[in-house]
Amino acid sequence: MDGSAKTPVMRRTCPWCASARVIAFGEEGLVRALARHLETCTGEEAGDDE
């Protein structure tokens, strides 16, 4: 890997807590990072919509 083709940095805010921001290189890494966050996310800002 020569580093000439840089993967863009992607950012995503957690849809549950709306406070955690996940940053990763590329879409695949972003999905993995967001999934990792969701394993421990309490969804504090989610409210009670049941």
Side-chain angles (χ1 to χ4, degrees):
M1 199 164 147
D2 63 351
S4 62
K6 286 197 165 204
T7 305
V9 175
M10 301 180 75
R11 293 175 180 85
R12 183 81 185 258
T13 301
C14 175
W16 286 359
C17 67
S19 62
R21 187 171 300 153
V22 177
I23 302 172
F25 294 100
E27 189 172 347
E28 187 176 321
L30 185 69
V31 169
R32 282 196 308 259
L34 187 57
R36 194 175 308 128
H37 165 72
L38 290 175
E39 288 176 1
T40 58
C41 180
T42 58
E44 293 174 2
E45 300 291 320
D48 193 2
D49 59 353
E50 289 185 286

mmCIF file of all heavy atoms in Angstrom:
data_model
loop_
_atom_site.group_PDB
_atom_site.id
_atom_site.type_symbol
_atom_site.label_atom_id
_atom_site.label_comp_id
_atom_site.label_asym_id
_atom_site.label_seq_id
_atom_site.Cartn_x
_atom_site.Cartn_y
_atom_site.Cartn_z
ATOM 1 N N MET A 1 0.849 -1.189 0.000
ATOM 2 C CA MET A 1 0.000 0.000 0.000
ATOM 3 C C MET A 1 0.889 1.246 0.000
ATOM 4 O O MET A 1 1.670 1.461 0.909
ATOM 5 C CB MET A 1 -0.873 -0.029 1.260
ATOM 6 C CG MET A 1 -2.054 0.864 1.156
ATOM 7 S SD MET A 1 -3.200 0.378 2.469
ATOM 8 C CE MET A 1 -3.888 1.942 2.843
ATOM 9 N N ASP A 2 0.774 2.035 -1.026
ATOM 10 C CA ASP A 2 1.674 3.174 -1.165
ATOM 11 C C ASP A 2 1.121 4.472 -0.581
ATOM 12 O O ASP A 2 1.825 5.457 -0.509
ATOM 13 C CB ASP A 2 2.041 3.367 -2.640
ATOM 14 C CG ASP A 2 0.830 3.701 -3.495
ATOM 15 O OD1 ASP A 2 -0.305 3.616 -3.015
ATOM 16 O OD2 ASP A 2 1.027 4.056 -4.663
ATOM 17 N N GLY A 3 -0.152 4.486 -0.205
ATOM 18 C CA GLY A 3 -0.725 5.667 0.419
ATOM 19 C C GLY A 3 -1.143 6.757 -0.549
ATOM 20 O O GLY A 3 -1.555 7.827 -0.137
ATOM 21 N N SER A 4 -1.037 6.510 -1.851
ATOM 22 C CA SER A 4 -1.413 7.541 -2.815
ATOM 23 C C SER A 4 -2.933 7.678 -2.953
ATOM 24 O O SER A 4 -3.431 8.731 -3.289
ATOM 25 C CB SER A 4 -0.792 7.250 -4.178
ATOM 26 O OG SER A 4 -1.272 6.017 -4.676
ATOM 27 N N ALA A 5 -3.649 6.603 -2.695
ATOM 28 C CA ALA A 5 -5.112 6.646 -2.769
ATOM 29 C C ALA A 5 -5.653 6.700 -1.346
ATOM 30 O O ALA A 5 -5.896 5.682 -0.718
ATOM 31 C CB ALA A 5 -5.640 5.426 -3.499
ATOM 32 N N LYS A 6 -5.840 7.895 -0.852
ATOM 33 C CA LYS A 6 -6.308 8.048 0.521
ATOM 34 C C LYS A 6 -7.814 7.832 0.603
ATOM 35 O O LYS A 6 -8.563 8.330 -0.225
ATOM 36 C CB LYS A 6 -5.981 9.446 1.049
ATOM 37 C CG LYS A 6 -4.532 9.607 1.364
ATOM 38 C CD LYS A 6 -4.353 10.810 2.248
ATOM 39 C CE LYS A 6 -2.973 10.762 2.850
ATOM 40 N NZ LYS A 6 -2.890 11.489 4.075
ATOM 41 N N THR A 7 -8.218 7.095 1.618
ATOM 42 C CA THR A 7 -9.632 6.895 1.881
ATOM 43 C C THR A 7 -10.125 8.088 2.687
ATOM 44 O O THR A 7 -9.477 8.483 3.652
ATOM 45 C CB THR A 7 -9.840 5.593 2.685
ATOM 46 O OG1 THR A 7 -9.242 4.526 1.975
ATOM 47 C CG2 THR A 7 -11.305 5.302 2.891
ATOM 48 N N PRO A 8 -11.240 8.666 2.292
ATOM 49 C CA PRO A 8 -11.735 9.835 3.008
ATOM 50 C C PRO A 8 -12.163 9.503 4.432
ATOM 51 O O PRO A 8 -12.645 8.409 4.708
ATOM 52 C CB PRO A 8 -12.933 10.290 2.173
ATOM 53 C CG PRO A 8 -13.364 9.074 1.425
ATOM 54 C CD PRO A 8 -12.113 8.272 1.194
ATOM 55 N N VAL A 9 -11.972 10.459 5.322
ATOM 56 C CA VAL A 9 -12.421 10.310 6.703
ATOM 57 C C VAL A 9 -13.928 10.534 6.709
ATOM 58 O O VAL A 9 -14.426 11.490 6.136
ATOM 59 C CB VAL A 9 -11.723 11.338 7.620
ATOM 60 C CG1 VAL A 9 -12.288 11.260 9.028
ATOM 61 C CG2 VAL A 9 -10.231 11.108 7.636
ATOM 62 N N MET A 10 -14.634 9.620 7.358
ATOM 63 C CA MET A 10 -16.092 9.724 7.422
ATOM 64 C C MET A 10 -16.509 9.913 8.870
ATOM 65 O O MET A 10 -15.905 9.361 9.778
ATOM 66 C CB MET A 10 -16.728 8.459 6.838
ATOM 67 C CG MET A 10 -16.326 8.216 5.404
ATOM 68 S SD MET A 10 -17.062 6.733 4.714
ATOM 69 C CE MET A 10 -18.725 7.304 4.447
ATOM 70 N N ARG A 11 -17.565 10.691 9.073
ATOM 71 C CA ARG A 11 -18.069 10.954 10.424
ATOM 72 C C ARG A 11 -19.549 10.614 10.468
ATOM 73 O O ARG A 11 -20.272 10.849 9.504
ATOM 74 C CB ARG A 11 -17.881 12.425 10.785
ATOM 75 C CG ARG A 11 -16.448 12.828 10.930
ATOM 76 C CD ARG A 11 -16.319 14.330 11.168
ATOM 77 N NE ARG A 11 -14.946 14.721 11.304
ATOM 78 C CZ ARG A 11 -14.151 15.008 10.280
ATOM 79 N NH1 ARG A 11 -14.595 14.935 9.045
ATOM 80 N NH2 ARG A 11 -12.897 15.360 10.502
ATOM 81 N N ARG A 12 -19.974 10.109 11.615
ATOM 82 C CA ARG A 12 -21.383 9.770 11.785
ATOM 83 C C ARG A 12 -21.777 9.986 13.231
ATOM 84 O O ARG A 12 -21.041 9.607 14.131
ATOM 85 C CB ARG A 12 -21.586 8.289 11.402
ATOM 86 C CG ARG A 12 -23.011 7.805 11.451
ATOM 87 C CD ARG A 12 -23.755 8.214 10.189
ATOM 88 N NE ARG A 12 -25.141 7.858 10.289
ATOM 89 C CZ ARG A 12 -25.688 6.799 9.693
ATOM 90 N NH1 ARG A 12 -24.964 6.015 8.946
ATOM 91 N NH2 ARG A 12 -26.956 6.548 9.842
ATOM 92 N N THR A 13 -22.912 10.582 13.465
ATOM 93 C CA THR A 13 -23.410 10.774 14.826
ATOM 94 C C THR A 13 -24.322 9.607 15.167
ATOM 95 O O THR A 13 -25.116 9.176 14.341
ATOM 96 C CB THR A 13 -24.188 12.097 14.929
ATOM 97 O OG1 THR A 13 -23.313 13.163 14.556
ATOM 98 C CG2 THR A 13 -24.687 12.336 16.339
ATOM 99 N N CYS A 14 -24.207 9.118 16.388
ATOM 100 C CA CYS A 14 -25.018 7.981 16.823
ATOM 101 C C CYS A 14 -26.503 8.325 16.720
ATOM 102 O O CYS A 14 -26.945 9.336 17.253
ATOM 103 C CB CYS A 14 -24.664 7.607 18.256
ATOM 104 S SG CYS A 14 -25.743 6.308 18.911
ATOM 105 N N PRO A 15 -27.298 7.483 16.045
ATOM 106 C CA PRO A 15 -28.735 7.758 15.919
ATOM 107 C C PRO A 15 -29.513 7.544 17.211
ATOM 108 O O PRO A 15 -30.638 8.001 17.324
ATOM 109 C CB PRO A 15 -29.185 6.764 14.846
ATOM 110 C CG PRO A 15 -28.194 5.652 14.919
ATOM 111 C CD PRO A 15 -26.894 6.286 15.313
ATOM 112 N N TRP A 16 -28.916 6.869 18.183
ATOM 113 C CA TRP A 16 -29.614 6.618 19.444
ATOM 114 C C TRP A 16 -29.377 7.713 20.460
ATOM 115 O O TRP A 16 -30.315 8.257 21.022
ATOM 116 C CB TRP A 16 -29.185 5.281 20.039
ATOM 117 C CG TRP A 16 -29.767 4.096 19.325
ATOM 118 C CD1 TRP A 16 -30.608 4.115 18.258
ATOM 119 C CD2 TRP A 16 -29.532 2.719 19.619
ATOM 120 N NE1 TRP A 16 -30.905 2.844 17.876
ATOM 121 C CE2 TRP A 16 -30.259 1.971 18.686
ATOM 122 C CE3 TRP A 16 -28.764 2.071 20.572
ATOM 123 C CZ2 TRP A 16 -30.248 0.588 18.697
ATOM 124 C CZ3 TRP A 16 -28.754 0.684 20.575
ATOM 125 C CH2 TRP A 16 -29.495 -0.042 19.655
ATOM 126 N N CYS A 17 -28.116 8.011 20.735
ATOM 127 C CA CYS A 17 -27.836 8.986 21.802
ATOM 128 C C CYS A 17 -27.611 10.393 21.256
ATOM 129 O O CYS A 17 -27.667 11.356 21.984
ATOM 130 C CB CYS A 17 -26.631 8.535 22.626
ATOM 131 S SG CYS A 17 -25.067 8.545 21.735
ATOM 132 N N ALA A 18 -27.343 10.502 19.973
ATOM 133 C CA ALA A 18 -27.144 11.787 19.300
ATOM 134 C C ALA A 18 -26.018 12.624 19.899
ATOM 135 O O ALA A 18 -25.912 13.800 19.621
ATOM 136 C CB ALA A 18 -28.449 12.589 19.282
ATOM 137 N N SER A 19 -25.180 12.010 20.719
ATOM 138 C CA SER A 19 -24.075 12.757 21.299
ATOM 139 C C SER A 19 -22.720 12.165 20.926
ATOM 140 O O SER A 19 -21.729 12.878 20.891
ATOM 141 C CB SER A 19 -24.216 12.832 22.821
ATOM 142 O OG SER A 19 -24.165 11.544 23.377
ATOM 143 N N ALA A 20 -22.679 10.873 20.646
ATOM 144 C CA ALA A 20 -21.417 10.234 20.271
ATOM 145 C C ALA A 20 -21.172 10.415 18.783
ATOM 146 O O ALA A 20 -22.079 10.233 17.966
ATOM 147 C CB ALA A 20 -21.459 8.747 20.614
ATOM 148 N N ARG A 21 -19.954 10.805 18.451
ATOM 149 C CA ARG A 21 -19.597 10.986 17.049
ATOM 150 C C ARG A 21 -18.545 9.947 16.700
ATOM 151 O O ARG A 21 -17.507 9.876 17.322
ATOM 152 C CB ARG A 21 -19.052 12.387 16.821
ATOM 153 C CG ARG A 21 -18.833 12.672 15.351
ATOM 154 C CD ARG A 21 -18.505 14.120 15.126
ATOM 155 N NE ARG A 21 -19.588 14.964 15.583
ATOM 156 C CZ ARG A 21 -19.443 16.207 15.994
ATOM 157 N NH1 ARG A 21 -18.260 16.762 15.998
ATOM 158 N NH2 ARG A 21 -20.470 16.908 16.385
ATOM 159 N N VAL A 22 -18.833 9.131 15.692
ATOM 160 C CA VAL A 22 -17.926 8.082 15.253
ATOM 161 C C VAL A 22 -17.157 8.600 14.047
ATOM 162 O O VAL A 22 -17.739 9.158 13.123
ATOM 163 C CB VAL A 22 -18.716 6.803 14.887
ATOM 164 C CG1 VAL A 22 -17.797 5.732 14.357
ATOM 165 C CG2 VAL A 22 -19.478 6.297 16.099
ATOM 166 N N ILE A 23 -15.836 8.426 14.065
ATOM 167 C CA ILE A 23 -14.986 8.863 12.965
ATOM 168 C C ILE A 23 -14.167 7.676 12.489
ATOM 169 O O ILE A 23 -13.580 6.963 13.306
ATOM 170 C CB ILE A 23 -14.055 10.007 13.407
ATOM 171 C CG1 ILE A 23 -14.893 11.181 13.916
ATOM 172 C CG2 ILE A 23 -13.156 10.450 12.257
ATOM 173 C CD1 ILE A 23 -14.081 12.288 14.545
ATOM 174 N N ALA A 24 -14.154 7.428 11.182
ATOM 175 C CA ALA A 24 -13.416 6.288 10.657
ATOM 176 C C ALA A 24 -12.941 6.584 9.243
ATOM 177 O O ALA A 24 -13.402 7.520 8.588
ATOM 178 C CB ALA A 24 -14.299 5.045 10.672
ATOM 179 N N PHE A 25 -12.024 5.740 8.776
ATOM 180 C CA PHE A 25 -11.535 5.843 7.403
ATOM 181 C C PHE A 25 -12.320 4.865 6.542
ATOM 182 O O PHE A 25 -12.185 3.657 6.690
ATOM 183 C CB PHE A 25 -10.039 5.510 7.333
ATOM 184 C CG PHE A 25 -9.185 6.513 8.051
ATOM 185 C CD1 PHE A 25 -8.714 6.263 9.323
ATOM 186 C CD2 PHE A 25 -8.867 7.717 7.448
ATOM 187 C CE1 PHE A 25 -7.930 7.183 9.992
ATOM 188 C CE2 PHE A 25 -8.081 8.656 8.106
ATOM 189 C CZ PHE A 25 -7.617 8.387 9.376
ATOM 190 N N GLY A 26 -13.163 5.370 5.681
ATOM 191 C CA GLY A 26 -13.929 4.521 4.776
ATOM 192 C C GLY A 26 -15.232 4.050 5.396
ATOM 193 O O GLY A 26 -15.416 4.028 6.612
ATOM 194 N N GLU A 27 -16.139 3.641 4.536
ATOM 195 C CA GLU A 27 -17.476 3.247 4.974
ATOM 196 C C GLU A 27 -17.455 1.980 5.820
ATOM 197 O O GLU A 27 -18.155 1.874 6.821
ATOM 198 C CB GLU A 27 -18.373 3.045 3.748
ATOM 199 C CG GLU A 27 -19.817 2.849 4.111
ATOM 200 C CD GLU A 27 -20.735 2.853 2.901
ATOM 201 O OE1 GLU A 27 -20.294 3.241 1.806
ATOM 202 O OE2 GLU A 27 -21.889 2.464 3.069
ATOM 203 N N GLU A 28 -16.641 1.010 5.444
ATOM 204 C CA GLU A 28 -16.584 -0.251 6.193
ATOM 205 C C GLU A 28 -16.110 -0.029 7.625
ATOM 206 O O GLU A 28 -16.672 -0.563 8.571
ATOM 207 C CB GLU A 28 -15.660 -1.237 5.483
ATOM 208 C CG GLU A 28 -15.685 -2.620 6.091
ATOM 209 C CD GLU A 28 -14.842 -3.596 5.311
ATOM 210 O OE1 GLU A 28 -14.829 -3.536 4.072
ATOM 211 O OE2 GLU A 28 -14.184 -4.425 5.971
ATOM 212 N N GLY A 29 -15.080 0.792 7.785
ATOM 213 C CA GLY A 29 -14.587 1.108 9.115
ATOM 214 C C GLY A 29 -15.609 1.880 9.927
ATOM 215 O O GLY A 29 -15.739 1.693 11.134
ATOM 216 N N LEU A 30 -16.345 2.740 9.258
ATOM 217 C CA LEU A 30 -17.376 3.530 9.931
ATOM 218 C C LEU A 30 -18.472 2.625 10.464
ATOM 219 O O LEU A 30 -18.910 2.768 11.602
ATOM 220 C CB LEU A 30 -17.961 4.552 8.953
ATOM 221 C CG LEU A 30 -18.975 5.520 9.561
ATOM 222 C CD1 LEU A 30 -18.286 6.477 10.523
ATOM 223 C CD2 LEU A 30 -19.670 6.305 8.473
ATOM 224 N N VAL A 31 -18.895 1.663 9.665
ATOM 225 C CA VAL A 31 -19.938 0.723 10.091
ATOM 226 C C VAL A 31 -19.460 -0.075 11.298
ATOM 227 O O VAL A 31 -20.195 -0.241 12.267
ATOM 228 C CB VAL A 31 -20.340 -0.210 8.923
ATOM 229 C CG1 VAL A 31 -21.218 -1.349 9.420
ATOM 230 C CG2 VAL A 31 -21.052 0.584 7.840
ATOM 231 N N ARG A 32 -18.221 -0.553 11.253
ATOM 232 C CA ARG A 32 -17.675 -1.326 12.379
ATOM 233 C C ARG A 32 -17.590 -0.469 13.642
ATOM 234 O O ARG A 32 -17.944 -0.917 14.729
ATOM 235 C CB ARG A 32 -16.289 -1.872 12.036
ATOM 236 C CG ARG A 32 -16.331 -3.076 11.145
ATOM 237 C CD ARG A 32 -15.007 -3.809 11.147
ATOM 238 N NE ARG A 32 -13.876 -2.935 10.868
ATOM 239 C CZ ARG A 32 -13.258 -2.833 9.708
ATOM 240 N NH1 ARG A 32 -13.656 -3.563 8.686
ATOM 241 N NH2 ARG A 32 -12.250 -2.020 9.548
ATOM 242 N N ALA A 33 -17.122 0.764 13.497
ATOM 243 C CA ALA A 33 -16.981 1.651 14.650
ATOM 244 C C ALA A 33 -18.345 2.005 15.246
ATOM 245 O O ALA A 33 -18.508 2.036 16.466
ATOM 246 C CB ALA A 33 -16.230 2.916 14.248
ATOM 247 N N LEU A 34 -19.318 2.245 14.390
ATOM 248 C CA LEU A 34 -20.657 2.581 14.881
ATOM 249 C C LEU A 34 -21.276 1.369 15.572
ATOM 250 O O LEU A 34 -21.890 1.509 16.634
ATOM 251 C CB LEU A 34 -21.547 3.062 13.729
ATOM 252 C CG LEU A 34 -22.921 3.608 14.125
ATOM 253 C CD1 LEU A 34 -22.801 4.768 15.108
ATOM 254 C CD2 LEU A 34 -23.696 4.051 12.897
ATOM 255 N N ALA A 35 -21.101 0.183 15.009
ATOM 256 C CA ALA A 35 -21.628 -1.034 15.633
ATOM 257 C C ALA A 35 -20.988 -1.247 17.005
ATOM 258 O O ALA A 35 -21.665 -1.619 17.970
ATOM 259 C CB ALA A 35 -21.371 -2.237 14.733
ATOM 260 N N ARG A 36 -19.693 -0.990 17.093
ATOM 261 C CA ARG A 36 -18.984 -1.127 18.373
ATOM 262 C C ARG A 36 -19.550 -0.153 19.403
ATOM 263 O O ARG A 36 -19.747 -0.490 20.560
ATOM 264 C CB ARG A 36 -17.486 -0.884 18.162
ATOM 265 C CG ARG A 36 -16.636 -1.315 19.328
ATOM 266 C CD ARG A 36 -15.148 -1.175 19.022
ATOM 267 N NE ARG A 36 -14.781 -1.819 17.780
ATOM 268 C CZ ARG A 36 -14.099 -1.233 16.787
ATOM 269 N NH1 ARG A 36 -13.688 0.009 16.912
ATOM 270 N NH2 ARG A 36 -13.814 -1.887 15.699
ATOM 271 N N HIS A 37 -19.812 1.071 18.978
ATOM 272 C CA HIS A 37 -20.392 2.065 19.890
ATOM 273 C C HIS A 37 -21.794 1.643 20.334
ATOM 274 O O HIS A 37 -22.139 1.749 21.505
ATOM 275 C CB HIS A 37 -20.463 3.440 19.216
ATOM 276 C CG HIS A 37 -21.363 4.393 19.951
ATOM 277 N ND1 HIS A 37 -21.028 4.948 21.167
ATOM 278 C CD2 HIS A 37 -22.616 4.830 19.661
ATOM 279 C CE1 HIS A 37 -22.045 5.708 21.585
ATOM 280 N NE2 HIS A 37 -23.002 5.642 20.694
ATOM 281 N N LEU A 38 -22.596 1.130 19.406
ATOM 282 C CA LEU A 38 -23.969 0.766 19.730
ATOM 283 C C LEU A 38 -24.053 -0.385 20.726
ATOM 284 O O LEU A 38 -25.057 -0.514 21.430
ATOM 285 C CB LEU A 38 -24.740 0.410 18.442
ATOM 286 C CG LEU A 38 -25.022 1.602 17.533
ATOM 287 C CD1 LEU A 38 -25.665 1.132 16.237
ATOM 288 C CD2 LEU A 38 -25.903 2.632 18.210
ATOM 289 N N GLU A 39 -23.005 -1.195 20.813
ATOM 290 C CA GLU A 39 -22.986 -2.285 21.790
ATOM 291 C C GLU A 39 -23.050 -1.757 23.218
ATOM 292 O O GLU A 39 -23.570 -2.423 24.105
ATOM 293 C CB GLU A 39 -21.718 -3.126 21.622
ATOM 294 C CG GLU A 39 -21.728 -3.977 20.374
ATOM 295 C CD GLU A 39 -20.428 -4.727 20.177
ATOM 296 O OE1 GLU A 39 -19.511 -4.599 21.018
ATOM 297 O OE2 GLU A 39 -20.314 -5.441 19.172
ATOM 298 N N THR A 40 -22.516 -0.568 23.434
ATOM 299 C CA THR A 40 -22.491 0.006 24.775
ATOM 300 C C THR A 40 -23.332 1.274 24.897
ATOM 301 O O THR A 40 -23.396 1.860 25.969
ATOM 302 C CB THR A 40 -21.036 0.333 25.185
ATOM 303 O OG1 THR A 40 -20.480 1.239 24.240
ATOM 304 C CG2 THR A 40 -20.191 -0.923 25.246
ATOM 305 N N CYS A 41 -23.970 1.675 23.828
ATOM 306 C CA CYS A 41 -24.763 2.911 23.832
ATOM 307 C C CYS A 41 -25.994 2.748 24.709
ATOM 308 O O CYS A 41 -26.729 1.769 24.604
ATOM 309 C CB CYS A 41 -25.182 3.256 22.402
ATOM 310 S SG CYS A 41 -26.157 4.763 22.300
ATOM 311 N N THR A 42 -26.232 3.713 25.562
ATOM 312 C CA THR A 42 -27.397 3.682 26.446
ATOM 313 C C THR A 42 -28.594 4.399 25.833
ATOM 314 O O THR A 42 -29.703 4.288 26.331
ATOM 315 C CB THR A 42 -27.065 4.341 27.797
ATOM 316 O OG1 THR A 42 -26.652 5.679 27.565
ATOM 317 C CG2 THR A 42 -25.980 3.582 28.518
ATOM 318 N N GLY A 43 -28.366 5.140 24.758
ATOM 319 C CA GLY A 43 -29.458 5.856 24.104
ATOM 320 C C GLY A 43 -30.071 6.916 24.991
ATOM 321 O O GLY A 43 -31.271 7.091 25.033
ATOM 322 N N GLU A 44 -29.229 7.637 25.716
ATOM 323 C CA GLU A 44 -29.708 8.616 26.696
ATOM 324 C C GLU A 44 -30.644 9.661 26.118
ATOM 325 O O GLU A 44 -31.551 10.111 26.778
ATOM 326 C CB GLU A 44 -28.502 9.311 27.345
ATOM 327 C CG GLU A 44 -27.680 8.362 28.189
ATOM 328 C CD GLU A 44 -26.412 9.011 28.698
ATOM 329 O OE1 GLU A 44 -26.192 10.192 28.421
ATOM 330 O OE2 GLU A 44 -25.642 8.318 29.377
ATOM 331 N N GLU A 45 -30.420 10.043 24.883
ATOM 332 C CA GLU A 45 -31.236 11.088 24.270
ATOM 333 C C GLU A 45 -32.415 10.510 23.471
ATOM 334 O O GLU A 45 -33.165 11.236 22.861
ATOM 335 C CB GLU A 45 -30.370 11.931 23.326
ATOM 336 C CG GLU A 45 -29.213 12.600 24.004
ATOM 337 C CD GLU A 45 -29.666 13.708 24.940
ATOM 338 O OE1 GLU A 45 -30.591 14.440 24.599
ATOM 339 O OE2 GLU A 45 -29.079 13.824 26.023
ATOM 340 N N ALA A 46 -32.566 9.192 23.472
ATOM 341 C CA ALA A 46 -33.566 8.544 22.634
ATOM 342 C C ALA A 46 -34.998 8.848 23.087
ATOM 343 O O ALA A 46 -35.915 8.854 22.288
ATOM 344 C CB ALA A 46 -33.349 7.030 22.616
ATOM 345 N N GLY A 47 -35.193 9.056 24.367
ATOM 346 C CA GLY A 47 -36.537 9.326 24.868
ATOM 347 C C GLY A 47 -37.331 8.039 25.027
ATOM 348 O O GLY A 47 -36.820 6.937 24.813
ATOM 349 N N ASP A 48 -38.593 8.155 25.388
ATOM 350 C CA ASP A 48 -39.437 6.986 25.618
ATOM 351 C C ASP A 48 -40.556 6.994 24.599
ATOM 352 O O ASP A 48 -41.582 7.630 24.763
ATOM 353 C CB ASP A 48 -40.004 7.083 27.055
ATOM 354 C CG ASP A 48 -40.632 5.763 27.496
ATOM 355 O OD1 ASP A 48 -40.584 4.796 26.698
ATOM 356 O OD2 ASP A 48 -41.166 5.711 28.609
ATOM 357 N N ASP A 49 -40.338 6.257 23.508
ATOM 358 C CA ASP A 49 -41.330 6.285 22.410
ATOM 359 C C ASP A 49 -42.089 4.961 22.288
ATOM 360 O O ASP A 49 -42.616 4.644 21.250
ATOM 361 C CB ASP A 49 -40.644 6.646 21.091
ATOM 362 C CG ASP A 49 -39.537 5.668 20.724
ATOM 363 O OD1 ASP A 49 -39.219 4.788 21.554
ATOM 364 O OD2 ASP A 49 -38.993 5.788 19.628
ATOM 365 N N GLU A 50 -42.182 4.214 23.384
ATOM 366 C CA GLU A 50 -42.923 2.948 23.326
ATOM 367 C C GLU A 50 -44.384 3.177 23.570
ATOM 368 O O GLU A 50 -44.782 4.003 24.324
ATOM 369 C CB GLU A 50 -42.379 1.971 24.386
ATOM 370 C CG GLU A 50 -41.012 1.471 24.010
ATOM 371 C CD GLU A 50 -40.527 0.410 24.992
ATOM 372 O OE1 GLU A 50 -40.167 0.753 26.115
ATOM 373 O OE2 GLU A 50 -40.550 -0.755 24.602
#
